[in-house]
Amino acid sequence: MNDIKLMNRAADNIRILAASMVEKAKSGHPGGAMGGADFVNVLFSEFLVYDPANPAWESRDRFFLDPGHMSPMLYSVLAMTGKYSMDELSQFRQWGSPTPGHPEVDIMRGVENTSGPLGQGHTYAVGAAIAAKFLKARFGDVMNQTIYTYISDGGIQEEISQGAGRIAGTLGLDNLVMFYDSNDIQLSTATDAVTNEDVEKKYRSWGWHVINIAGNDAQSIRDALNEAKKETERPTLIIGKTVMGKGALRADGTSYEACCDTHGAPLGGDAYKNTIKNLGGDLDNPFVIFPEVAEMYAARAEELKYIVADKNAEREQWAKQNPELAVKFAEFFSGKAPKVDWAAIEQKPGAATRNASATVLGALATQVENMIVASADLSNSDKTDGFLKKTHAFTKGDFSGAFFQAGVSELTMAAVCVGMALHGGVIAGCGTFFVFSDYMKPVVRMAALMELPVKFIWTHDAFRVGEDGPTHEPVEQEAQIRLMEKLKNHKGHNSMLVLRPADADETTAAWRLAMENVSTPTGLIFSRQDIAKLPEGTDYSQAAKGAYIVAGADANPDVILVASGSEVATLVAGAELLRKDGLKVRIVSAPSEGLFRSQSKEYQESIIPAGAKVFGLTAGLPVNLQGLVGSNGKVFGLESFGFSAPYKVLDEKLGFTADNVYKQVKEMF
């Protein structure tokens, strides 16, 4: 272990860098970073096991930062490990800089997760800990790592922390260690103005091991981490009482510690100057790693070489003894789409697409060994039980199965699945009713931003939920989720793939697209009610183009009918009536406009020609199809909340019938 004076010097170095980054940027949050410096210094210089030469090493420990506004602390300690230069720190929050205001996942630089909305970061850690347990159950000690995470007062207050705490405690995630930076100060108030809960008792009630320490004392941090590492039954929460803005002085030389003002703004002017002097920095050149600190981290890098070499030697020996497992290990972490016998999946004609999804999930459960599926207490209704019936759910001490029963916690469940994806080695999917995607949207957005291939499985896709009434009937949700197909990620691609299949066989095609999509999240939207099979001869492989012509189309059509999901079958029925009147009709199934718009202009024109008369039918807001229908077209959709009644009655009352398709189209001529 390093000398305590040296450890304190290193922590002060982090404080100097953090305060200087914010000062130069004239923007940011110095106080929390200064208070948390001691913990990250101890963790990175003495405990965290990673490969300095291979940041993507599968067996590494992970560190998930929850309060992204404390990015100066993370960048500073990573600079000491050689992942950032002083020039890069000095460009904090600037255009093109690798040090954005909130960390964005960059494994090669040691940033394990994008940290933005408070509460999500530590929930990702719970997911990563579950993924590690899942993989350890299959590969043994080659996946014997520790997942560390760091949470602030804000993260503790966010409601997602209840779901994360409950799940981690219930599953006994003893490979999870969380440091709670408890400094009694938040952005606009002291914490006692908004909460008086006993955090220790709360986490103990969830089954956590809780340790209380002085969070700015290096030896206390060491002792707590050593104790946490010995825990074999429970996740550990280390409550560290820290000082917001530790070491900060005001312009008049008095203490600037434990003050809201240092939370979210540069120290400024003489306060900054006094603080840097107080911490032993050089005002003329604050962006420096002290020689003795650089030497300490260099020594740790040498230690890690030997630690990693020993672990890799153990893994090589394991691979020789378990060649089939070694091949499987490499496949799991390859990031490639899994091999699935799609042709062998047989669907029941006329089934609800949620049931068709269950059929696919049953095949995936037996063919994709690194897939984990979750449900928010709805597995027998969202039909993720198609997967569950071929495996079993995780329980404390047993991660040999592949199903995660999340309980009623859609937001938490989604973030846990994102954490699994961030860990790597697993494919994660989670299910609930589509209307409850409202709870999940913040995580869906982060999955899209991080380009993670999580599969979001949403059933009960429209007002046809029926008797449950408007609280359970999604109307505007499809429009909200489909906006993610229009939003580009930083690689210039659609940030998400959204698929709403038209029948059971198109469901298989949609699932294939989802599993082969390894670069963005996928949303799969399924029906509760049965849907008639599309006309014989329909080429479902064309679903891969986002929109395609259903079998039986007339040449040189007078009108093109467009829909997704169950409305396609309604168009088929309506088309029969229109043809009796002599109209020539083409029906287009459009499971994904985003995917369709990614095709060539020639293909798009061949499906929906410019200037054609186009009619769109959607059980959601008309805006769902306006981009496809165009200015010459017409969309019939639902522009109000739903109602409580049997779904067939709702179809009649709301106009989702063959007769109304006939009526609406005839009015266009």
Side-chain angles (χ1 to χ4, degrees):
M1 293 295 178
N2 297 299
D3 177 76
I4 291 296
K5 287 183 180 180
L6 178 57
M7 293 294 280
N8 292 339
R9 177 74 163 153
D12 283 344
N13 202 164
I14 293 172
R15 294 182 180 100
I16 291 164
L17 292 172
S20 298
M21 290 166 69
V22 174
E23 198 71 21
K24 189 171 188 296
K26 298 182 174 60
S27 161
H29 302 254
M34 296 171 75
D38 297 282
F39 177 78
V40 294
N41 177 56
V42 174
L43 180 66
F44 277 80
S45 68
E46 296 184 350
F47 284 86
L48 195 73
V49 174
Y50 61 95
D51 186 350
N54 178 20
W57 181 48
E58 301 91 342
S59 300
R60 70 189 182 278
D61 292 343
R62 270 74 164 172
F63 175 68
F64 290 87
L65 182 69
D66 191 299
H69 61 273
M70 291 173 64
S71 59
M73 175 185 76
L74 180 62
Y75 298 143
S76 295
V77 76
L78 287 172
M80 292 173 178
T81 70
K83 298 306 180 188
Y84 291 91
S85 69
M86 291 297 100
D87 182 61
E88 287 170 334
L89 295 194
S90 73
Q91 293 302 306
F92 180 54
R93 290 182 167 231
Q94 305 309 302
W95 176 264
S97 166
T99 50
H102 289 68
E104 297 172 23
V105 62
D106 187 344
I107 300 303
M108 299 312 290
R109 287 187 181 264
V111 180
E112 296 283 358
N113 63 294
T114 299
S115 304
L118 292 177
Q120 287 197 40
H122 84 287
T123 312
Y124 303 155
V126 173
I130 292 172
K133 287 282 190 183
F134 172 89
L135 293 165
K136 186 175 180 179
R138 286 147 181 81
F139 300 117
D141 285 344
V142 294
M143 293 306 296
N144 190 26
Q145 71 252 95
T146 301
I147 310 301
Y148 297 96
T149 187
Y150 186 112
I151 194 169
S152 64
D153 289 300
I156 289 285
Q157 290 165 28
E158 279 287 358
E159 290 85 349
I160 194 173
S161 68
Q162 171 168 320
R166 170 182 57 80
I167 287 165
T170 300
L171 292 177
L173 300 179
D174 58 288
N175 60 340
L176 177 67
V177 179
M178 182 161 77
F179 179 77
Y180 167 30
D181 176 15
S182 176
N183 57 43
D184 301 324
I185 299 292
Q186 47 198 90
L187 186 64
S188 62
T189 69
T191 57
D192 61 10
V194 298
T195 180
N196 65 356
E197 69 180 2
D198 189 323
V199 173
E200 178 179 354
K201 286 183 179 178
K202 181 170 72 172
Y203 277 86
R204 286 192 188 280
S205 74
W206 289 327
W208 287 59
H209 174 46
V210 181
I211 306 168
N212 285 282
I213 64 168
N216 293 121
D217 181 79
Q219 188 58 50
S220 296
I221 295 168
R222 273 181 187 152
D223 293 343
L225 287 171
N226 281 319
E227 184 177 334
K229 291 281 287 179
K230 294 175 183 175
E231 176 62 46
T232 60
E233 296 288 333
R234 302 165 292 176
T236 295
L237 174 68
I238 301 170
I239 301 177
K241 295 305 295 185
T242 61
V243 177
M244 170 68 72
K246 182 169 174 58
L249 297 178
R250 297 180 187 273
D252 64 2
T254 59
S255 175
Y256 206 4
E257 295 178 336
C259 179
C260 290
D261 291 346
T262 69
H263 186 297
L267 298 176
D270 288 339
Y272 168 72
K273 293 175 182 176
N274 288 340
T275 298
I276 299 305
K277 290 177 183 177
N278 184 47
L279 294 170
D282 181 354
L283 276 171
D284 294 326
N285 189 20
F287 290 100
V288 168
I289 297 176
F290 300 144
E292 63 272 35
V293 174
E295 187 178 319
M296 182 180 84
Y297 273 86
R300 176 59 177 171
E302 284 299 311
E303 289 177 358
L304 286 169
K305 286 182 185 177
Y306 292 105
I307 292 169
V308 170
D310 287 345
K311 287 183 174 289
N312 283 338
E314 291 172 8
R315 181 164 144 187
E316 288 173 13
Q317 185 63 33
W318 167 83
K320 288 178 183 177
Q321 296 170 352
N322 303 276
E324 292 181 4
L325 284 179
V327 170
K328 193 175 294 184
F329 184 94
E331 288 176 352
F332 282 15
F333 279 95
S334 70
K336 297 177 182 177
K339 296 180 178 67
V340 178
D341 187 356
W342 298 104
I345 297 174
E346 295 184 8
Q347 293 287 6
K348 179 182 176 182
T353 53
R354 64 167 174 164
N355 292 335
S357 172
T359 298
V360 177
L361 283 167
L364 296 179
T366 57
Q367 297 182 48
V368 185
E369 294 182 63
N370 65 328
M371 189 169 186
I372 298 172
V373 172
S375 178
D377 195 43
L378 289 169
S379 57
N380 54 343
S381 196
D382 61 28
K383 296 303 176 182
T384 52
D385 64 355
F387 192 93
L388 177 58
K389 288 173 182 176
K390 300 293 179 68
T391 182
H392 57 275
F394 299 139
T395 57
K396 182 177 181 179
D398 181 6
F399 290 83
S400 60
F403 199 89
F404 167 42
Q405 290 286 20
V408 185
S409 56
E410 293 85 0
L411 174 64
T412 302
M413 173 184 69
V416 166
C417 287
V418 164
M420 294 178 190
L422 285 168
H423 180 280
V426 300
I427 299 168
C430 56
T432 187
F433 292 172
F434 191 33
V435 74
F436 300 142
S437 65
D438 285 348
Y439 283 127
M440 305 166 75
K441 180 60 168 56
V443 176
V444 173
R445 183 177 191 273
M446 294 297 283
L449 183 60
M450 289 188 275
E451 302 174 19
L452 297 172
V454 176
K455 321 305 175 189
F456 296 102
I457 306 161
W458 291 309
T459 68
H460 297 57
D461 66 340
F463 63 81
R464 298 178 186 91
V465 174
E467 293 89 341
D468 280 338
T471 60
H472 281 53
E473 295 172 18
V475 178
E476 75 281 12
Q477 281 74 15
E478 185 176 352
Q480 293 170 351
I481 291 298
R482 287 205 183 276
L483 285 174
M484 301 302 293
E485 287 194 306
K486 300 179 187 298
L487 181 68
K488 301 297 183 186
N489 60 30
H490 287 164
K491 287 191 173 71
H493 304 144
N494 298 346
S495 74
M496 186 175 183
L497 173 63
V498 181
L499 298 157
R500 185 171 177 242
D503 71 359
D505 288 304
E506 197 175 289
T507 298
T508 302
W511 259 114
R512 180 171 187 167
L513 290 170
M515 295 303 289
E516 291 177 352
N517 176 22
V518 297
S519 57
T520 72
T522 301
L524 294 152
I525 306 171
F526 299 125
S527 74
R528 178 197 188 195
Q529 82 288 351
D530 291 346
I531 302 176
K533 180 178 171 61
L534 296 184
E536 197 65 35
T538 294
D539 182 1
Y540 292 101
S541 69
Q542 295 301 299
K545 296 177 179 176
Y548 66 104
I549 300 170
V550 171
D554 300 319
N556 302 312
D558 298 309
V559 64
I560 298 172
L561 311 182
V562 181
S564 71
S566 54
E567 290 86 271
V568 180
T570 307
L571 292 181
V572 172
E576 293 305 306
L577 302 178
L578 292 167
R579 287 182 174 121
K580 288 178 181 178
D581 267 16
L583 284 178
K584 291 185 287 186
V585 179
R586 170 188 294 175
I587 298 170
V588 172
S589 176
S592 169
E593 181 183 352
L595 197 53
F596 179 61
R597 295 303 185 197
S598 300
Q599 307 306 312
S600 69
K601 293 295 183 184
E602 291 77 12
Y603 178 77
Q604 293 181 50
E605 181 71 11
S606 74
I607 304 300
I608 307 175
K613 282 189 183 298
V614 185
F615 172 73
L617 182 68
T618 173
L621 291 171
V623 72
N624 288 339
L625 291 178
Q626 283 171 354
L628 292 172
V629 166
S631 58
N632 291 329
K634 177 181 182 180
V635 179
F636 185 86
L638 186 61
E639 296 188 81
S640 76
F641 292 115
F643 303 88
S644 180
Y647 81 87
K648 290 184 179 180
V649 173
L650 291 176
D651 272 335
E652 291 288 336
K653 296 290 186 182
L654 298 175
F656 288 83
T657 63
D659 287 341
N660 192 45
V661 169
Y662 172 84
K663 174 178 178 290
Q664 295 291 328
V665 172
K666 289 290 284 185
E667 288 176 355
M668 297 173 69
F669 290 89

